[in-house]
Amino acid sequence: MGATADDFDLAADASGDRVRRARSLHPDSRRAVGEIRDRLGPGPFALVVLFVSANRLPDEVAAAVMEHFPGQVVIGATTAGEIGDEGYLDGAIVGVGLPLGHFRAQIMVINDLDRFPEHLSIQDVLRLRGALAGMVPNWPNEFVFLLSDGLSLMEDRLVSALGPALGGAPLFGGSAADGVDFRRTCVLADGAFRPNVAVLAFIRTNCRVKVFRFDHLVPTDTRMVVTEADPANRIVREINAEPAARAYARALGRDPDQLSPFIFAAHPVVVRIGGAHHVCAIQRVEPNGDLKFFTAIDEGLVLTLAEGQDIAAHLKLSLDELSPEGPPEAIIACECILRRLEVEETQVKVAMSEMLARHNVVGFNSYGEQLNMLHVNQTFTGVAIYPPPADPAGPTGR
C-alpha cells in the first residue's frame, strides 16, 4: 500500500535545488512529459507531481510517465487549468519535483472511492506516518497532500475520516477536474489515470513549510435556509421553501434564466463552521430548477450570500504575506475553477499570472479544495515551501 523513494542514492541529488518546477505546452503528450523530465533535471526524487490538462488523453500521458520516469514515484490529476512558471496556462502539463536531498514521501492510494471506508484503514495511515518519521527523524516538518476524483462526491467524507490519523500534520489538496465539462476526472497513481480514486502523499522535509488557505469573499447580511436537499448528490431542491434556483436568483435581484457559472463565482454562498465562513460553491442549475453544489449540503443549513473583493488586489496581499523575506522556493497550489472563471471574466488574468509567477506558484485549477478536515470551494489553498532555517543560500536564494 505504501511506496517510498528512500532507497535512491542521495549523492545523485547534486543540484542543490530544493523544489524543481517545469511545464510543457508541447501538443504531443509523450514529448511533453519528456520535456518535463528534462526540465526537472536529474533525480532522484522523493515525489513527482503532474498537473495535466483535461484536453490531453490520460492514457497517453500515463504511458509517457512510465517511459520517462522509470523507478520514480509519480502522482497527478487532470485539471480545469494549470499554473506554471508564467502563471495561468491552458492545455499544459506542469510538473513539480521534490528531491530526496530535502524531502521524503510515503504514498497511499485509495481505490473505489464510492466504497472508501472498505479500503481506508486509519491504522495504515498511522503506520505510514510513523515509517516516514523514522526515515528522517531529525527533519521537523511535514504535510499531507491529497488529490481526489473531483466528481466522486466523496471528498467531504474522505477528509473527515482521515482527520483523526493526521496528528499535527496539516493536510491540503485539490479535486481533479475536467475543464468546464464535468464529465470525467482522473487521478494519476500506480502508473495510470483513473476515476473514483484518491491518492495521499505524506511528505516530510527539512525545509520550512506553511500550509494555507485564502479567499477574497466577504459575507453579507442576506441569509437563506436550505429547506429541501439531496445530500448524497449535493443537490438543493428548495431554499426558503421555494425552488432553489428561483430563491437564489431572487436574493440577487435577478431572473433565474440569468444564472451562470460567472454569477455563481461572483455571488457565492457561505456557511459558518467553527467560527469561520466557508464557501459552498454552486456548480450549476439543473433543468428542473435544483441547484447542484461542489460540496456537501444538507437541509437546515443556513446559507449566507457573499460578495467578492478585488481578486487581484487580494491575491497580491495574500501572496506578499506568505513572502515576508522574499518569495518561497515554491508554492504548490490548488485554486478553484470558480476563481479562474472570475479571473477571466474580469480580465485580470495577465496581472494575476504575473503575481503567480513572481511568487513561484505551481499547481492547478480544481473542482474543490481540501484543508485539514474540510472540503472547501472557491479558495486558493496550498503549501509554501521555504529554505531550511540554517541554509546558507538564505531566504530567497537557491
Side-chain angles (χ1 to χ4, degrees):
M1 178 173 275
T4 177
D6 192 50
D7 294 332
F8 287 108
D9 179 8
L10 292 182
D13 182 27
S15 72
D17 290 351
R18 287 168 286 262
V19 182
R20 302 188 202 162
R21 297 168 288 132
R23 67 99 179 108
S24 177
L25 289 163
H26 198 288
D28 181 277
S29 292
R30 180 177 176 275
R31 290 278 300 276
V33 174
E35 288 183 358
I36 295 289
R37 177 206 57 198
D38 293 343
R39 291 169 180 171
L40 289 179
F45 296 101
L47 182 68
V48 174
V49 185
L50 298 180
F51 304 113
V52 180
S53 168
N55 295 334
R56 295 180 180 265
L57 294 175
D59 289 346
E60 290 184 0
V61 177
V65 169
M66 298 295 286
E67 176 185 353
H68 292 295
F69 288 96
Q72 296 286 342
V73 180
V74 184
I75 64 173
T78 56
T79 78
E82 305 78 53
I83 304 172
D85 286 345
E86 303 97 327
Y88 290 122
L89 299 168
D90 289 292
I93 300 177
V94 172
V96 184
L98 301 180
L100 267 173
H102 296 280
F103 298 89
R104 292 292 190 281
Q106 287 274 2
I107 304 302
M108 173 180 283
V109 180
I110 303 171
N111 297 301
D112 301 322
L113 272 179
D114 54 344
R115 298 185 293 117
F116 86 85
E118 302 173 22
H119 304 282
L120 178 64
S121 164
I122 297 303
Q123 288 72 28
D124 286 335
V125 176
L126 292 171
R127 277 194 291 270
L128 280 181
R129 287 191 62 224
L132 186 61
M135 293 178 188
V136 280
N138 296 325
W139 288 5
N141 302 313
E142 63 179 331
F143 61 93
V144 184
F145 181 43
L146 171 66
L147 292 171
S148 180
D149 177 357
L151 296 179
S152 68
L153 310 184
M154 298 300 293
E155 299 100 321
D156 307 89
R157 294 176 60 192
L158 180 58
V159 292
S160 178
L162 286 168
L166 297 179
L171 177 148
F172 84 98
S175 302
D178 179 30
V180 294
D181 291 337
F182 301 99
R183 291 181 301 187
R184 179 179 170 85
T185 56
C186 296
V187 168
L188 171 63
D190 291 336
F193 279 93
R194 291 172 291 151
N196 202 28
V197 167
V199 59
L200 279 162
F202 301 85
I203 299 167
R204 200 166 184 94
T205 178
N206 62 349
C207 296
R208 293 179 295 128
V209 298
K210 180 178 178 60
V211 170
F212 64 88
R213 187 210 79 172
F214 54 76
D215 64 65
H216 64 302
L217 304 168
V218 178
T220 69
D221 294 329
T222 302
R223 292 177 175 83
M224 304 168 287
V225 178
V226 176
T227 49
E228 185 178 346
D230 175 1
N233 292 300
R234 298 179 177 173
I235 287 175
V236 171
R237 304 197 190 284
E238 289 187 358
I239 294 174
N240 295 343
E242 68 174 317
R246 185 192 306 166
Y248 172 74
R250 184 196 302 278
L252 299 179
R254 293 178 178 269
D255 188 281
D257 292 337
Q258 295 178 308
L259 299 182
S260 67
F262 175 69
I263 295 298
F264 302 146
H267 305 280
V269 294
V270 300
V271 297
R272 191 169 181 83
I273 302 173
H277 283 94
H278 303 277
V279 176
C280 287
I282 301 169
Q283 183 185 128
R284 64 177 181 265
V285 179
E286 300 288 8
N288 64 355
D290 294 347
L291 290 177
K292 173 82 169 182
F293 280 71
F294 278 107
T295 191
I297 204 81
D298 206 348
E299 293 177 6
L301 204 61
V302 177
L303 306 177
T304 301
L305 274 181
E307 299 290 341
Q309 301 171 297
D310 183 313
I311 192 170
H314 187 272
L315 179 71
K316 181 181 185 307
L317 176 64
S318 300
L319 290 178
D320 286 347
E321 288 178 351
L322 289 173
S323 310
E325 299 177 331
E329 287 281 312
I331 295 174
I332 304 174
C334 309
E335 183 185 42
C336 184
I337 181 178
L338 292 176
R339 284 178 56 95
R340 177 71 175 258
L341 292 174
E342 181 177 349
V343 165
E344 294 177 348
E345 183 73 19
T346 55
Q347 300 181 1
V348 294
K349 185 175 180 180
V350 172
M352 295 274 284
S353 288
E354 290 174 352
M355 284 184 276
L356 294 169
R358 187 161 60 249
H359 288 83
N360 300 326
V361 178
V362 60
F364 78 115
N365 294 108
S366 60
Y367 280 179
E369 301 78 55
Q370 292 82 50
L371 183 73
N372 298 324
M373 295 177 67
L374 290 175
H375 173 60
V376 293
N377 300 118
Q378 213 156 336
T379 74
F380 190 101
T381 298
V383 61
I385 301 173
Y386 304 89
D391 195 309
T396 60
R398 286 188 178 272

